[in-house]
Amino acid sequence: MTEADLVDLVLAEQERPAWTAAQFAEELYHPAGWQLVFCQGEPGRLVGYICCRSVAGEGEILKIAVVVQCRGQGIGSLLLQTALSRMAAEGTGRCYLEVRDSNSIARNLYEKFGFRQIGLRKGYYNSPREDAVVYKVNIPRAGQGKESRFPQPGAFGI
Ligand SMILES: CC(C)(COP(=O)(O)OP(=O)(O)OC[C@H]1O[C@@H](n2cnc3c(N)ncnc32)[C@H](O)[C@@H]1OP(=O)(O)O)[C@@H](O)C(=O)NCCC(=O)NCCS
């Protein structure tokens, strides 16, 4: 993700409340932040993204989204798998995230990648008010023969 993506990111942002260009830009320059985008077609149109942070062996997924028309095609899985592969490669041992209790699609995605619920933050979200489910996954170190859960991006031809 770069500054050149900011306009497309805001156009692609369909969550409520949506992130503004300023929020994406802040993440872009956060010292622990890194992001991946998925582009489709020629010239590439940004259709998905994931915002992550990693520091001192701990990773966090802040946000993942795919535009509505492109969901259900494996793009979210590819973004998450690529992010976890990168964390494995850099030696990040654990990854955390928070998700709305009612977001069963995202929860299915996270659980598919081994995330397990470790907590609940009561009333964490506003508009509408809702609990946040806290998830964690342990990430096997790259090179320890357990990479099959998080294959390297090359396995997907990107
Ligand atoms: C969550 C999201 C990123 C998934 O992206 P996607 O490209 O559609 O995901 P995939 O096609 O890779 O599907 C991944 C998994 O999600 C789950 N999933 C996807 N669509 C689903 C549906 N309609 N119903 C139930 N589960 C679903 C499944 O577990 C699926 O794995 P499977 O295909 O092996 O069964 C997308 O739905 C999205 O952008 N949602 C809005 C933003 C959001 O809620 N982000 C998470 C909080 S930050």
Side-chain angles (χ1 to χ4, degrees):
M1 193 182 282
T2 68
E3 272 188 6
D5 294 317
L6 288 178
V7 171
D8 292 336
L9 279 163
V10 172
L11 289 176
E13 176 65 332
Q14 287 155 354
E15 275 187 82
R16 294 293 172 266
W19 274 20
T20 62
Q23 283 171 299
F24 279 112
E26 191 182 330
E27 210 40 51
L28 213 52
Y29 295 107
H30 189 285
W34 51 274
Q35 309 82 29
L36 304 170
V37 294
F38 185 93
C39 298
Q40 221 171 32
E42 195 57 55
R45 185 173 74 99
L46 189 155
V47 297
Y49 54 86
I50 186 166
C51 298
C52 312
R53 289 183 189 171
S54 41
V55 64
E58 288 200 354
E60 186 182 1
I61 309 287
L62 298 174
K63 192 172 179 65
I64 179 171
V66 173
V67 298
V68 171
Q69 313 87 281
C70 298
R71 289 182 191 164
Q73 300 172 19
I75 297 171
S77 299
L78 179 58
L79 284 164
L80 184 56
Q81 191 151 19
T82 307
L84 291 171
S85 295
R86 176 174 162 160
M87 288 184 193
E90 69 186 13
T92 297
R94 306 168 290 289
C95 181
Y96 299 86
L97 61 83
E98 281 145 10
V99 62
R100 280 186 181 270
D101 193 15
S102 66
N103 193 345
S104 53
I105 294 182
R107 291 182 64 170
N108 286 345
L109 168 66
Y110 299 140
E111 288 172 16
K112 179 171 131 178
F113 281 87
F115 280 89
R116 294 293 171 255
Q117 180 172 347
I118 57 159
L120 194 71
R121 293 188 207 278
K122 283 278 180 198
Y124 180 80
Y125 293 107
N126 291 313
S127 319
R129 193 151 198 82
E130 191 174 351
D131 299 342
V133 179
V134 184
Y135 274 109
K136 176 190 176 190
V137 69
N138 289 319
I139 304 175
R141 260 184 185 278
Q144 289 188 338
K146 293 180 183 167
E147 302 93 310
S148 54
R149 254 171 77 211
F150 308 129
Q152 293 304 303
F156 295 90
I158 61 168

